[in-house]
Structures are given as C-alpha cells and as structure tokens.
Amino acid sequence: MKAGDARNTDGAVKADGATRVSVEVDDDGLARVGMCRGSGNAIDLAMARALLEAARECEKRQARVVLLTGQGPSFCVGGDLKEFASLPGGRLAAHLTDVTAALHGALRILAGLNAPLVVAAQGAVAGAGLGLVAAADVSLVAADARFTAAYTAVGYTPDAGVSWSLPRLVGPQRAADLLLTNRRVTAAEALQMGLVTRVVAREQLIEQAVRTARTLAHGATAAYGSTRRLLRQALITDFGEHLDTEARHLAAAAVSAEGREGVAAFLAGRRPDFAGRGPAPPAPPRPEPGRPGSSRWDGV
C-alpha cells in the first residue's frame, strides 16, 4: 500500500500524486518501506506524516522486520529547505514542530517494535536522512554513499535523533566533529567509525538488504525485540541493574514459544521454525507522553 493513499471500494490501492512513502508487507512479515518522493527524498511535512503512517502500518501488521529504502540517486537529503524557506517566520516554528512531531513519532514506533530495522542507503545521506540510517539495527550502504550532518551549515540544530544516536555510534568527540564541521564522510569512513554496518556495491545494495531482512524475518522476533530494548537500556542503566534486567528477559524468553522451539530444534539437529509460530508478537506498549520513561528513545 501507499502511506496516506485512499482505497477503492474493491480494496485496491488508489494512487495519490502526493504519495511520499510506499509500504508493502509480504507473507514472511518483511515490511518494505520505501521513500519515493524524488528530489533526494527531502522530508517535507507530507513526507514526515507519510513516514509516520508507514510506521503505524508496520506496527498494525505486526511486521517481523522492517526494510527502509530511498528511491532514486540519493537515500535522503534531509529536510525540505525550499518548503521551510517559503514560510514566514511566524509560521515556520510551528511548521517545523509539526514536521518533527510526525518524523519523531515514526522513529519512536520503529524503535519500539520487536521487528529489527534494516536500512539500505545510497548517494547523499544528510540531516534527517543521517538520523534514519543511525536508527537502524543493521545498515547497508552503497559504496557511493556520502554522509553529512548539514544542520549547523544552515543555522539549524539536529533532529531525527541524530544528536542522540551519533555519540552512541561513533563516540562524543567524533559526533561533535560531524555535527559542527558538517564534513562529508565516505561510505568506507562511515564503516570504519561504526556509523554503518556494511558497505556493498551499488548494484547489489537492494538485493543484499532484502536478503538480510528476509533472514531476520525468519528469526526469533520476540527475542529480537527484547535484545533491541536491552541494547538501548544498557546505555542508561548501571551494570548491576542491567544484569537483573537481562535475567528477567532471559527467563521470559526461555519459556516462550520461540525459546522452546529454538532449544527443541537445536537438540534435534534441525533449523528452528520461528516464523511458523505465528505473526510477530506485539512489543510492550509505549509509555504515553508525560509518563515516566516517555522521554527515552524507545520508552524502556
């Protein structure tokens, strides 16, 4: 389906010329979310809202893995500065608040799912596009990918979680370098500094990303979700508390359908059938705004 599209009476998707994002969820539970606006997939308000609707669709369909791509020469060049510049000062602040509310809402949903997030990026990756790549559990980038923060170059400050994710991925000092100097980083350097997971040839990018995502779709989705939350929680808790949290997650996983199937398969010398155990289990509910924990990236 297309995020934000209307449907005909027969249930078919009705094309909308303003469509920014496509969403397809296959029988394996692989959700393919594609930014398809053109013009570098710059994020305007409609694009941000379409990404939010796409994330909601992934949540509704209980996707087992989400693959995010950007159609065209570039993955995402960040915010739509032409749209922002067209607004009078009295409206711009409120407009940007609406854009970030939708974009950040999408990121919160994707971070809270059990489904891992795989991102495949090529060409220019800037601003919020950098945030989307940094939010991934697994990121594959083409050898021609180039990364830049770009925010302070136009007098803006980061969004899309960039100031949260970059220090955790590449370290505080290197993050400061990227955010303050806006220097361009090659795919090879991004790999070396830990910003991305893998660099592949441009012509193999989507094929390898789909292969990676499909492998994850057949994995232990509930265990993935717990592992995603443990990894993020480790950054904000002390060691002793985290050991207790690990113990609780492990005990719950061991008695789950996935845990029983995994051990049974290991003892029988066969591959586990995690995907055959039904749709992806729902993730724990996200805290409501204003509730304790709601300011965290994933609501842990």
Side-chain angles (χ1 to χ4, degrees), residues 147-159:
F147 304 83
T148 182
Y151 295 104
T152 58
V154 296
Y156 279 26
T157 57
D159 67 347

Side-chain angles (χ1 to χ4, degrees), residues 114-126:
N114 285 335
L117 175 62
V118 178
V119 171
Q122 74 288 344
V125 181

Side-chain angles (χ1 to χ4, degrees), residues 1-3 19-26 29-37 41 47-59 61 63 65-71 75 103 106 109-110 113 115-122 132 206 209-210 213:
M1 65 168 290
K2 302 281 189 179
T19 295
R20 270 33 176 201
V21 179
S22 64
V23 187
E24 297 177 0
V25 184
D26 67 18
L30 193 167
R32 297 184 63 164
V33 177
M35 296 181 288
C36 48
R37 182 189 176 194
N41 295 310
M47 178 83 149
R49 287 173 171 169
L51 284 168
L52 176 57
E53 289 306 312
R56 287 171 173 164
E57 183 71 10
C58 292
E59 183 177 44
R61 297 284 298 275
V65 64
V66 178
L67 172 59
L68 176 64
T69 61
Q71 188 178 57
F75 172 71
L103 178 60
I109 291 173
L110 294 173
L113 297 177
L117 175 62
V118 178
V119 171
Q122 74 288 344
L132 294 174
I206 298 303
V210 170

